[in-house]
């Protein structure tokens, strides 16, 4: 069932109008308005009987694109190519199978899926200006007759880029708002090292400092929203030990000493908590626990705190067998206002074999005592000391943006008191004045700040 003349706006700030119907009360003629005529255009001036036939044809709600975000290009000059070219990717706009692409400051083309249809020749402000048909365009779309297209940037240009709202299911990947200037690359407003990029093939990547930590399968190439699944590199951002190690124990003590140094460059007072075998050390937990010692609370900027875990002693006491799990947590102490990343340097020394320090970047929150999981280390009897984690997801939504201020209307042509024609819905800054038998009829208004007011729904009876 169609909802006649129902207007809505999408997350990008563009307006859409459901198909509607104008009915002449004097003659009973129906005038369908929109793009979704299921009988292929044979309904203009139709009777009630032919309209009844269309009710038997299943159809989703058909929508007319009206623009309004300030990011679109409007092309006119030849019916087959006329209309809105909607923002697709930086420097590209699409309308059906047609692609308008900017190739230089004063250069642009309009192509179909086969070849270039028209080229920008004047204007100097691509994508706006005059496009002259190529030989291929003339032969394919205008019976070998030359034509010129005019491209105009939509009112409010440039506009239409939306920010992202990101929710993380587990772990320490940064969510929240990601902003953009080109609709393809998005950067966290909290930490510029966290980014999203929308690839040309429709896939998308969520990265930290250049490393892809989650991906989205192919989707719309102009829309980065959807569900992202963590990569193996990203799983350590969700500290999780998983299943127990099932290797056979050895007859000698295979373990050594694990040293964990939490450090921070500038922000004041990082607190840390280290958990092992049910015991914890750190601010609020004490500075000694079975097999662990903590250096004490450092509250200043450019500080560090060190935890030493004696795994060899834990093995001698029978507390561990083939593996040991150590969970590291870190948070900024809220009253001191610290923020940003910190560093954890882990060094695992075996008897007679000093280990190599491995640096891990931490992403603390602000709480006390420290409780945000920062790193899960599993140390195996073969000397491996590696971070482990579990899968997580990121849900990405567009931050809804309001369309420009203006009015949605249709133009109704009357001759001797009867309706003879109805134009397509239009969105513009103002409602034009009636004249020459043409009467503009308002359907909806936008205040440019998010309020979209519907003035008329359902069939319009004149």
């Amino acid at each position: 069932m169609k909802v006649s003349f129902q207007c809505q706006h999408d997350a990008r700030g563009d307006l859409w109008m459901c198909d509607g119907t104008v009915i002449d009360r004097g003659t009973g003629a129906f005038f369908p308005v929109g793009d979704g005529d299921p009988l292929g255009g044979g309904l203009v001036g139709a009777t009630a009987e032919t309209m009844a036939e269309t009710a038997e044809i299943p159809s989703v709600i058909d929508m007319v694109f009206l623009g309004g975000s300030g990011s679109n290009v409007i092309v006119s000059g030849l019916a087959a190519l006329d209309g809105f070219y909607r923002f697709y990717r930086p420097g590209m706009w699409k309308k059906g199978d047609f692609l308008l692409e900017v190739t230089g400051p004063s250069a642009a083309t309009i192509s179909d899926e086969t070849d270039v249809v028209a080229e920008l020749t004047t204007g100097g402000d691509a994508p706006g200006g005059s496009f002259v048909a190529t030989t291929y365009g003339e032969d394919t779309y205008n019976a070998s007759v030359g034509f010129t297209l005019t491209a105009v940037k939509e009112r409010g240009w440039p506009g239409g880029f939306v920010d992202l709202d990101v929710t993380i299911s587990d772990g320490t990947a940064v969510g929240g708002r990601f902003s953009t200037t080109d609709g393809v690359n998005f950067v966290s407003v909290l930490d510029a090292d966290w980014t999203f990029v929308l690839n040309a093939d429709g896939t998308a990547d969520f990265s930290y400092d250049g490393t892809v930590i989650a991906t989205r399968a192919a989707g719309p190439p102009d829309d980065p929203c959807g569900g992202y699944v963590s990569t193996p590199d990203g799983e350590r951002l969700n500290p999780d030990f998983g299943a127990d190690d099932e290797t056979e124990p050895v007859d000698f003590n295979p373990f050594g000493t694990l040293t964990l140094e939490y450090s921070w460059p500038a922000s004041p007072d990082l607190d840390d908590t280290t958990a092992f075998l049910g015991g914890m050390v750190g601010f609020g937990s004490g500075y000694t626990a079975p097999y662990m010692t903590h250096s004490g609370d450092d509250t200043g900027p450019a500080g560090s705190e060190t935890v030493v875990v004696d795994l060899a002693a834990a093995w001698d006491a029978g507390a561990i067998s083939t593996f040991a799990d150590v969970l590291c947590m870190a948070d900024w102490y809220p009253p001191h206002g610290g923020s940003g990343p910190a560093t954890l340097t882990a060094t695992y020394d075996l008897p007679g074999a000093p280990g190599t320090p491995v640096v891990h970047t931490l992403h603390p929150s602000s709480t006390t005592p420290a409780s945000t999981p920062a790193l899960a280390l599993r140390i195996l009897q073969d000397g491996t000391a590696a971070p482990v984690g579990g899968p997580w997801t990121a849900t990405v939504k567009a931050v809804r943006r309001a369309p420009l201020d203006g009015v949605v209307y249709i133009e109704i042509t009357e001759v001797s008191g009867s309706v003879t024609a109805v134009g397509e819905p239009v969105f513009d800054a103002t409602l034009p004045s009636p004249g020459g038998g043409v009467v503009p009829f308002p359907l909806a208004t936008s205040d440019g700040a998010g309020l979209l007011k519907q003035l008329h729904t359902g069939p319009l009876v004149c």
Side-chain angles (χ1 to χ4, degrees), residues 339-430:
S339 63
T343 297
L344 172 58
T345 302
T347 307
Y348 182 47
D349 297 316
L350 291 170
T356 301
V358 179
V359 177
H360 304 277
T361 301
L362 310 182
H363 308 286
S365 298
S366 294
T367 186
T368 190
S371 59
T372 299
L375 190 70
L377 283 171
R378 172 162 285 181
I379 299 92
L380 303 179
Q381 64 183 9
D382 65 2
T384 301
V388 290
W392 52 272
T393 60
T395 302
V396 178
K397 298 179 180 179
V399 177
R400 196 165 180 84
R401 177 166 294 177
L404 297 169
D405 61 313
V407 59
V408 179
Y409 65 92
I410 55 174
E411 290 187 329
I412 300 172
T413 303
E414 292 183 326
V415 176
S416 301
S418 296
V419 177
T420 59
V422 179
E424 295 296 306
V426 176
F427 175 65
D428 210 339
T430 58

Side-chain angles (χ1 to χ4, degrees), residues 39 62 104 157 407 438 447:
L39 296 186
D62 296 298
W157 183 281
V407 59
V438 178
D447 69 351

Side-chain angles (χ1 to χ4, degrees), residues 81-144:
L81 290 95
D82 287 357
F84 278 99
Y85 283 63
R86 195 175 182 221
F87 175 78
Y88 176 68
R89 295 182 65 81
M92 298 181 185
W93 295 261
K94 290 195 76 173
K95 174 184 177 288
D97 294 333
F98 297 109
L99 175 68
L100 194 164
E101 181 176 7
V102 171
T103 57
S106 302
T109 60
I110 297 176
S111 306
D112 60 14
E113 294 181 321
T114 301
D115 206 344
V116 175
V117 175
E119 296 176 320
L120 180 67
T121 57
T122 61
D125 189 22
S130 296
F131 288 73
V132 173
T134 62
T135 300
Y136 168 78
E138 296 171 0
D139 294 344
T140 307
Y141 295 100
N142 203 36
S144 301

